[in-house]
Every structure is written in C-alpha cells, then in structure tokens.
Amino acid sequence: MNLQHSMQQVAVIKEKVQQKLTHSYLQQFIVDPVIDEDRILFFLSSIEDGQLETDEVEKYVTTAMLVQIALDTHERINNHEEDRLKERQLTVLAGDYFSGLYYKLLADLENVTLVRTLAQGIKLVNEHKIAIYEKESQNIEAFMASLKKVEISIFEKFYTYFNENEKVIARLGEQFLFLKRLVEEKEQFIQKGTSVLFEGLKKFSFAKVDLNQELSPDQNRMLLRICEKYIEHTKELIDQMVHKFPVPNEFLLERINQITNRRSAISKLYAEEG
C-alpha cells in the first residue's frame, strides 16, 4: 500500500466517521471526539486487498472506529466535583450515542459474528479500565499490560475476525497504538502534572507517599524515566517489526518517525523547563 493510496483511504473513512459523529446539540457542550487516523490505517491493514468490496471495507472500519470513539469518550469523563455536572452527563450521553451508531451500522450489515467479536473487545477494554482506575494491578508490569489492553483490544479483535493467522501487521499495530498512548500520557503529565499512567506509576514507585501529596522534581523525573523506558522498549520492538515487511508501508513509516520526533520534542521541552 503506497503513501498516496493509504492517505486517500484514511481521509475518506475519517470523513465518514466525522459525518456519523456530528450532533449539533452535543457539540455545544463537549469537546469533539478525536478521530485517530493511525487507528483507521491499522483497521484498514487488517483487511487484505480484494477481501471485500471498497464500500464494505469503509463500513466495517467506520463501525470499528465508532466503537473505539465511544469507549474513548466514556474514558474522558471526569468525576471531580468542580467539573460541571451537565458536561459530565452529556459526555456519558455522547459515548452512548456513539455506541448506538455502531450497533446501527452493524445491524445494517447483518453481521452478527462481528458484533459478538467486537463485544468481546469492549468487555476486555472495560475490565482493564476497572483494573487501572481502581488500581487493582499488583505491580507496574500488570498495570502497563492493562493500559495496553485498553488501547489495543478493539483492534486486536477486529484483526482476528478478518485473519486466521497473526501477521506482523497485527503485532505492529498493537505496539504502535501502545507507543502513541505512552507518548500522550507523558505529554499530559508534563503539561498538566497528572495522567492516568503517571498516577499508577506514582502508586507503585512511592508506596509510602501520600498519593495526594505533590511530588518533588526528582520524583517526577524518576516517573518520567520509567515511562521513557517503556517508550524506548516499545519503539525497539516496532523497529524490529518494520524490517520484516517485504514492502514497507510508507505512510506507516512516516507516522512512526513523527511519533518518535514528537516524543523527543516533549522531552526537550521538559528538560528546558525543569
């Protein structure tokens, strides 16, 4: 799949997803959901050329994106008392609304098997979200595994539905999506002083410290080093997988470079401010 063709397909599906998400009332009160172009690309890569007609591919990928966006929207709900109740309620409503769009699309496709497959992915995501937010994990490795499952389970289930055997693109997709989440968590921590990932790292790294207490600069740097270790390891795995492709996907390689450069820029910014 060359760069131009990949970009065209992603753009078409992104537009279709955007059209489905448009709701004038909700847009007045909540932030527009993010439509992740990289996730679209990996959903597309799950379906081999010629396996389905173009319009079917677009419908399936649009459906999977709506599932992911519904889950991401529910995850954005903030329960701090100072947040507006109406905004929280509408965010819940938006997630439910997006979920309804997904079920409507699947009903139109009359694909009960895919409904069941994606439902399994939704169940996995919710189970691991509980483990993260309730801090049920026993150690950092288990916590990171849950964070990764939240990020990749829908893609994982979507891929296995269309492919009997696991291919490099499946493992690459999982690692790439996880890498993006790690970089986003690091960026949020640097900019806002907190994130889901770093709250978990704080618990396991400073067990005897009051979690509501502000950390020292040295403690913050320690947490960043732990995060960076996982980022670097994930990047190394991606580099190894990319070399296994007989014909590299130019679009994908470009995105990996962009994510890596973004991570470097974030680290530089923190070093300058710290």
Side-chain angles (χ1 to χ4, degrees):
M1 192 185 299
N2 62 43
L3 178 60
Q4 185 176 4
H5 186 235
S6 294
M7 291 178 69
Q8 287 173 343
Q9 278 193 298
V10 169
V12 167
I13 292 173
K14 183 177 181 180
E15 178 62 27
K16 288 181 179 294
V17 173
Q18 184 62 63
Q19 290 172 1
K20 295 288 183 185
L21 294 177
T22 300
H23 191 294
S24 58
Y25 181 73
L26 290 174
Q27 287 177 320
Q28 295 178 49
F29 298 99
I30 66 171
V31 178
D32 289 337
V34 175
I35 303 174
D36 188 342
E37 294 182 2
D38 298 316
R39 204 174 289 272
I40 293 175
L41 177 64
F42 280 109
F43 282 139
L44 280 170
S45 301
S46 302
I47 305 173
E48 295 180 359
D49 291 339
Q51 193 173 354
L52 295 171
E53 296 295 328
T54 300
D55 63 331
E56 287 184 293
V57 172
E58 292 175 358
K59 287 178 181 177
Y60 281 126
V61 175
T62 298
T63 298
M65 285 299 297
L66 289 173
V67 174
Q68 188 67 52
I69 289 169
L71 290 166
D72 292 345
T73 300
H74 279 140
E75 190 172 355
R76 287 206 336 254
I77 299 165
N78 196 324
N79 290 316
H80 292 307
E81 291 183 5
E82 64 269 18
D83 293 334
R84 292 182 300 168
L85 175 61
K86 184 173 184 179
E87 185 173 333
R88 295 205 306 273
Q89 291 172 333
L90 285 169
T91 303
V92 173
L93 177 62
D96 293 341
Y97 173 69
F98 301 150
S99 298
L101 291 175
Y102 138 63
Y103 285 114
K104 172 67 167 61
L105 278 176
L106 284 180
D108 292 343
L109 291 171
E110 298 181 346
N111 193 325
V112 177
T113 308
L114 183 56
V115 172
R116 289 177 182 153
T117 301
L118 291 178
Q120 292 170 1
I122 293 169
K123 181 173 180 288
L124 273 174
V125 170
N126 288 329
E127 287 173 351
H128 285 282
K129 278 184 182 179
I130 291 170
I132 289 170
Y133 286 97
E134 298 298 324
K135 297 181 174 63
E136 295 178 350
S137 304
Q138 298 301 310
N139 51 53
I140 289 180
E141 290 297 328
F143 181 84
M144 284 295 195
S146 284
L147 186 69
K148 185 176 182 180
K149 276 294 183 184
V150 166
E151 207 60 30
I152 71 169
S153 289
I154 299 301
F155 167 70
E156 192 176 47
K157 292 298 181 181
F158 188 85
Y159 181 89
T160 55
Y161 175 81
F162 288 102
N163 299 271
E164 292 183 2
N165 301 312
E166 184 182 64
K167 298 178 182 177
V168 175
I169 189 66
R171 298 193 301 277
L172 179 60
E174 292 168 5
Q175 296 298 339
F176 181 84
L177 294 172
F178 184 47
L179 174 65
K180 278 192 68 174
R181 178 66 185 259
L182 291 173
V183 172
E184 288 166 1
E185 292 283 337
K186 179 180 177 181
E187 185 176 52
Q188 184 178 337
F189 177 71
I190 290 173
Q191 293 179 349
K192 299 182 179 180
T194 186
S195 83
V196 171
L197 168 59
F198 280 82
E199 287 303 307
L201 293 181
K202 187 191 298 186
K203 173 199 169 185
F204 294 113
S205 303
F206 309 117
K208 296 181 180 180
V209 173
D210 181 358
L211 296 182
N212 296 316
Q213 179 182 330
E214 186 174 342
L215 298 181
S216 69
D218 285 343
Q219 289 173 322
N220 283 334
R221 280 190 283 270
M222 177 181 171
L223 295 183
L224 284 165
R225 283 195 296 271
I226 295 171
C227 180
E228 188 61 30
K229 181 187 75 170
Y230 281 92
I231 289 175
E232 191 59 39
H233 176 65
T234 307
K235 176 64 169 54
E236 288 173 1
L237 291 175
I238 290 172
D239 288 340
Q240 293 169 15
M241 294 174 193
V242 165
H243 293 304
K244 295 181 180 180
F245 279 98
V247 181
N249 183 310
E250 297 173 24
F251 187 40
L252 184 56
L253 292 176
E254 176 64 21
R255 285 298 298 134
I256 292 171
N257 287 332
Q258 289 173 3
I259 293 295
T260 304
N261 291 338
R262 174 182 166 190
R263 167 191 143 212
S264 300
I266 294 167
S267 298
K268 182 179 179 182
L269 175 65
Y270 184 77
E272 290 174 349
E273 294 182 350

